[in-house]
Amino acid sequence: MSTADSCSEVHTKWMLEALAMAEDALEAGEVPVGCVFVRHDVIIAKARNRTNELRNATRHAELEAIDCILADKLLTPQLVQYPLSETTLYVTVEPCIMCASALRQLGIKEVYYGCQNDRFGGCGSVLGVSSGLKHPKHPGYLAADGYLREEAIMMLRRFYITENTNAPVPRSKANRVLKTEILPVSGTKPGNVIS
């Protein structure tokens, strides 16, 4: 087995864990985004979106997990400038601009995600917060897309065809049909680094 195949298997393993968290979010009536933070080949935190449940737009999966990491004295025994410098994030959807910025400020090592976030993506789809933008203090990080992309897209589609009763102004979606065709993006191999 080549090194590339071995890496792909590892990324798939962790992305499946993130997808399980996204499924939990879907079942809870949340936008189905899930994530796991991995350090030294061990999940140190996992979370899902909780924005509807907590009525707080900042309760994205990444920030939920970061709160757990920073609050746990075993995971973060002392305050350091970059507490995530040895940590990799696997998340089903590209981190938004808010989350991408928090990850950069905390020194995340790298991020692997399923599908791009065409509306709010902070790792290059909308804005290159991960590494595309220069920052006087915080170094950028690797962000690679395409890991279990189709599964992540289908999970989002399953949510968006349902009625979101938690929305401030729910829209009727009675006539929506689940689209199953997923168009490829240029360079469809997982691991495309965008900035």
Side-chain angles (χ1 to χ4, degrees), residues 59-164:
R59 298 295 70 203
H60 290 191
E62 300 94 326
L63 297 182
E64 286 285 305
I66 287 169
D67 285 352
C68 292
I69 294 168
L70 297 179
D72 187 328
K73 292 193 185 296
L74 293 175
L75 297 175
T76 312
Q78 58 187 349
L79 293 177
V80 295
Q81 183 173 8
Y82 298 119
L84 300 179
S85 64
E86 296 181 7
T87 307
T88 298
L89 167 65
Y90 291 88
V91 61
T92 56
V93 178
E94 175 185 4
C96 71
I97 294 166
M98 171 183 68
C99 291
S101 178
L103 292 164
R104 187 165 181 170
Q105 291 174 54
L106 293 169
I108 193 77
K109 180 180 174 184
E110 54 199 2
V111 174
Y112 297 95
Y113 59 93
C115 62
Q116 295 179 354
N117 182 342
D118 295 333
R119 293 182 63 200
F120 307 109
C123 295
S125 291
V126 174
L127 194 61
V129 176
S130 56
S131 64
L133 297 175
K134 298 287 184 221
H135 193 282
K137 184 176 181 180
H138 305 300
Y141 57 88
L142 169 85
D145 73 336
Y147 294 92
L148 300 181
R149 174 182 172 266
E150 291 182 3
E151 292 84 344
I153 290 171
M154 286 307 298
M155 185 116 23
L156 289 169
R157 286 182 181 175
R158 285 173 44 211
F159 174 79
Y160 284 114
I161 65 163
T162 64
E163 302 289 330
N164 182 359

